[in-house]
Amino acid sequence: MKQYIALLKDEKVLRRLSTIQLISYFGAWFSNVAIYTLLLDLHVNAAIIAFVAMLNFLAGVIQAPLSGPIIDRIHPKKLMLSLIVVEIIATFSLVMVHQLSDLWLLYLLVFLKMAAASFYFTTEMSLLPKILDGAKLRVANELHSIIWSLSYTLGMAISGFVVYWLGINTAFILDGMMFIAAFMLLYSMEIEIEILKVEENIIRMMQDTFIYLKNNPKAFHLMLLHSFVGLTAFDALVALMVEKYYASFVAVSLALGLLHSARAIGLVVGPVFIGKWINNKRLVYIFIAQGLAIWLWAYVMHNFYLSLAASMLVGFFTTTLWSYSYTLLQKNIEKKYYGRIVAYNDMLFLSSAAFTSYMIGHLATLSFSLPNITFFMGFGFIIGAVYYNFILKKEKLEEV
């Protein structure tokens, strides 16, 4: 933990960005519980729940081909401020969703909200290598993931009680106010970086990126490797678990909040224990451990309290898996391509998460049991371990 505190003390820009990240990510997850509580209150089927979960990721997939070239052309502060404005408008507008006939509006607002959030995330992740390098970059990525996890923990846990006591619309309004606070913090800060002059048009930049990936296959391998973490898109699964196993004795909003926050505790604690231990060769063991933890969750999910403990274990490995595989990619690409490669990397990751969310709902409608669906998700990480072992033997990777 000392290394994270020391980095924040030394890097003023990172300190402010981290504060903004904590507020805005907290807001994002704060309204998430309200959205799924609303869906369950409307008694929608598993396919609709999975579709909304998929929309959380689909927006980032669609915009990724254009977001990279835009990031490489526009100053990050201007871009990030514009994106927060979109999140503010979309979040406050969620209060207009009340009944089944309003679902089209919910779909649109979730899509816009998450498109802006995804774009913001990609912009920030392509900014970090421009202001940090070496060990600082690795620690910053871990810190970014820890803050995401902490926001996730607090957001899910607190919003569960807020929705239960004060109602769904109150959660949306509080969420919007947090985005306003994030906007004001970002507006008052200075980000001094060099914006490389780009002569090519956007189409040419996209073509150039594909040529770069073709000539540098290890970059594509690392992008695909990172996408395996998208298999941890558990939002739809958790909502269906609450409906099937726990709704009879725990309030829906409380059960959603507690399950998500339990996993998020693991997300926060994990890198503190294994962040210094992890290296290129040991990453394969984290993939295997993630798969085994998900299998354990599948086995005990019928029991609410054992499910809380298992979901915490699932989260324990996820943060390190996400941050280390992301840093590996950043270390093995040229500076000129940061924005574009990070955007395409996020596109693959979000595609994996969207596909996972869709398949959870699809398999549930085909009468697959939730433990069996969870088992398939865990098996994906065993495949990821085999694939990473292949990359290690085939490519020369720079050590993080």
Side-chain angles (χ1 to χ4, degrees):
M1 188 60 71
K2 291 181 179 179
Q3 59 183 337
Y4 305 124
I5 296 173
L7 183 63
L8 288 174
K9 286 182 178 178
D10 294 340
E11 300 293 337
K12 180 180 178 181
V13 173
L14 179 66
R15 185 167 64 248
R16 178 64 71 89
L17 286 174
S18 297
T19 304
I20 296 167
Q21 178 196 352
L22 180 63
I23 295 171
S24 59
Y25 283 13
F26 178 91
W29 295 117
F30 195 85
S31 60
N32 206 44
V33 168
I35 289 171
Y36 286 105
T37 301
L38 174 62
L39 290 172
L40 292 176
D41 285 349
L42 293 175
H43 303 291
V44 301
N45 60 35
I48 291 178
I49 292 174
F51 180 70
V52 173
M54 183 178 69
L55 285 176
N56 283 308
F57 309 106
L58 189 61
V61 176
I62 294 172
Q63 72 188 11
L66 292 177
S67 63
I70 291 172
I71 290 169
D72 285 336
R73 285 171 172 266
I74 300 177
H75 194 282
K77 180 179 175 179
K78 293 180 181 178
L79 188 54
M80 292 158 78
L81 284 172
S82 301
L83 294 168
I84 292 179
V85 170
V86 175
E87 291 188 85
I88 291 171
I89 295 172
T91 301
F92 278 121
S93 299
L94 284 167
V95 300
M96 295 186 290
V97 180
H98 300 292
Q99 51 197 3
L100 287 173
S101 60
D102 298 328
L103 281 179
W104 68 270
L105 180 59
L106 176 68
Y107 299 155
L108 176 63
L109 293 175
V110 169
F111 183 87
L112 290 176
K113 180 179 168 70
M114 297 313 298
S118 175
F119 208 150
Y120 183 98
F121 168 81
T122 303
T123 305
E124 186 174 16
M125 292 308 294
S126 59
L127 172 61
L128 290 182
K130 297 174 183 176
I131 61 176
L132 302 168
D133 56 18
K136 285 187 175 182
L137 178 60
R138 177 186 61 81
V139 175
N141 281 338
E142 290 180 358
L143 180 64
H144 185 285
S145 192
I146 289 172
I147 291 173
W148 181 93
S149 304
L150 182 61
S151 302
Y152 187 91
T153 306
L154 295 174
M156 288 291 192
I158 296 175
S159 65
F161 289 100
V162 169
V163 172
Y164 181 68
W165 285 326
L166 302 178
I168 293 169
N169 283 346
T170 301
F172 291 147
I173 292 170
L174 291 174
D175 185 6
M177 293 173 66
M178 283 182 276
F179 281 117
I180 291 175
F183 178 90
M184 296 179 70
L185 283 172
L186 180 58
Y187 185 80
S188 62
M189 76 174 289
E190 295 293 331
I191 302 177
E192 297 180 1
I193 63 167
E194 178 187 2
I195 303 297
L196 299 177
K197 187 176 181 180
V198 181
E199 300 293 342
E200 305 103 319
N201 59 37
I202 290 180
I203 300 299
R204 177 57 188 164
M205 291 176 72
M206 292 170 63
Q207 293 174 339
D208 187 37
T209 306
F210 286 119
I211 293 172
Y212 175 76
L213 289 173
K214 181 180 179 180
N215 295 333
N216 295 270
K218 71 176 178 180
F220 179 75
H221 283 307
L222 292 174
M223 289 165 61
L224 196 57
L225 179 75
H226 183 74
S227 71
F228 277 88
V229 189
L231 293 171
T232 58
F234 295 122
D235 287 6
L237 178 66
V238 170
L240 294 175
M241 286 166 56
V242 169
E243 184 179 42
K244 181 175 178 61
Y245 297 121
Y246 321 130
S248 61
F249 61 91
V250 182
V252 167
S253 60
L254 295 180
L256 286 170
L258 289 172
L259 277 167
H260 283 299
S261 59
R263 180 163 66 98
I265 291 172
L267 292 169
V268 174
V269 172
V272 175
F273 284 93
I274 57 180
K276 291 186 177 180
W277 173 82
I278 189 69
N279 59 31
N280 284 11
K281 291 184 178 179
R282 291 171 177 168
L283 182 61
V284 67
Y285 300 119
I286 303 298
F287 270 97
I288 294 172
Q290 182 73 84
L292 293 177
I294 293 173
W295 283 349
L296 176 63
W297 195 21
Y299 183 72
V300 302
M301 69 167 50
H302 61 281
N303 183 296
F304 181 66
Y305 300 103
L306 290 178
S307 184
L308 287 174
S311 63
M312 191 182 303
L313 182 62
V314 168
F316 186 85
F317 302 103
T318 306
T319 299
T320 299
L321 196 59
W322 181 91
S323 62
Y324 198 90
S325 60
Y326 214 117
T327 310
L328 261 182
L329 176 65
Q330 291 171 322
K331 289 282 288 184
N332 286 276
I333 57 175
E334 295 179 23
K335 184 176 182 180
K336 175 183 176 182
Y337 296 93
Y338 277 157
R340 283 167 278 175
I341 296 298
V342 166
Y344 282 113
N345 177 67
D346 290 345
M347 180 181 72
L348 286 177
F349 170 79
L350 294 170
S351 296
S352 172
F355 178 75
T356 300
S357 298
Y358 169 77
M359 288 305 298
I360 289 170
H362 180 66
L363 292 176
T365 58
L366 294 178
S367 299
F368 278 77
S369 70
L370 296 183
N372 284 341
I373 293 172
T374 309
F375 176 85
F376 292 145
M377 297 168 77
F379 186 68
F381 285 95
I382 306 302
I383 296 174
V386 174
Y387 180 55
Y388 180 62
N389 192 53
F390 162 78
I391 296 173
L392 278 178
K393 292 179 180 180
K394 187 176 186 295
E395 304 289 347
K396 184 178 180 181
L397 301 179
E398 289 191 35
E399 196 72 42
V400 172

